[in-house]
Amino acid sequence: MITTKKITIPPTFKIAYSKPTYAREWTRFGIQARAPEYLLQMAAGSDDVIAATHAGVTQIFVRKSAVAA
């Protein structure tokens, strides 16, 4: 997981989930094929998923072409 002061996401990615660090539930953006916990695990070793924390909010981004996979 990346912790930064400013998040710059490449244009080929879109936000999938977002969650404040104090919350239990994830906010889903659109229809997602994968659960947020699975995507967090993928973020460690995949170039198709990015997990980042900024200002107390964790966000998961997925590559647009990999969403259907």
Side-chain angles (χ1 to χ4, degrees), residues 26-57:
W26 288 91
T27 300
R28 181 176 56 194
F29 294 89
I31 298 172
Q32 303 304 324
R34 307 285 185 190
E37 293 79 16
Y38 178 79
L39 292 174
L40 284 173
Q41 291 176 355
M42 281 186 60
S46 173
D47 292 335
D48 293 329
V49 180
I50 298 172
T53 301
H54 174 65
V57 177

Side-chain angles (χ1 to χ4, degrees), residues 9-20:
I9 301 302
T12 59
F13 284 81
K14 72 170 197 156
I15 188 165
Y17 292 97
S18 178
K19 177 182 82 134

Side-chain angles (χ1 to χ4, degrees), residues 52-69:
T53 301
H54 174 65
V57 177
T58 301
Q59 297 175 322
I60 303 173
F61 298 89
V62 294
R63 189 176 307 273
K64 290 178 183 176
S65 61
V67 173

